[in-house]
Amino acid sequence: MSAKTFTALEQIETKTSQIKALTILAQGSHIEELNSEDIGHFFNTLTDMTNDIQNSLATLNTTLKANK
């Protein structure tokens, strides 16, 4: 496995774990205690992590195609 492939997979695993933890944290919160800034931060963080995963998948796809 190439270094790029390994790095992409590692980043996907890390971000997926972070999204899971963030979701569990949000589920444990009382929604009425969250203000719009907290909710905005949650969704911005989730969006950033999702974008990171998409970028890692694109890198992985490119690397795998190049190694055919």
Side-chain angles (χ1 to χ4, degrees):
M1 181 179 335
S2 74
K4 279 186 177 183
T5 301
F6 181 77
T7 300
L9 288 171
E10 195 171 56
Q11 288 172 346
I12 292 167
E13 180 181 6
T14 299
K15 292 299 176 182
T16 303
S17 295
Q18 290 173 343
I19 288 172
K20 182 178 179 182
L22 187 62
T23 304
I24 290 169
L25 181 65
Q27 288 172 342
S29 298
H30 296 285
I31 195 71
E32 64 274 4
E33 295 175 5
L34 297 176
N35 60 39
S36 60
E37 186 177 320
D38 292 334
I39 293 169
H41 179 69
F42 171 79
F43 282 111
N44 286 339
T45 301
L46 194 57
T47 299
D48 290 345
M49 289 180 181
T50 302
N51 288 338
D52 290 343
I53 290 172
Q54 288 176 322
N55 291 337
S56 294
L57 286 170
T59 300
L60 182 58
N61 188 35
T62 301
T63 302
L64 291 174
K65 284 181 180 178
N67 290 336
K68 275 189 168 181

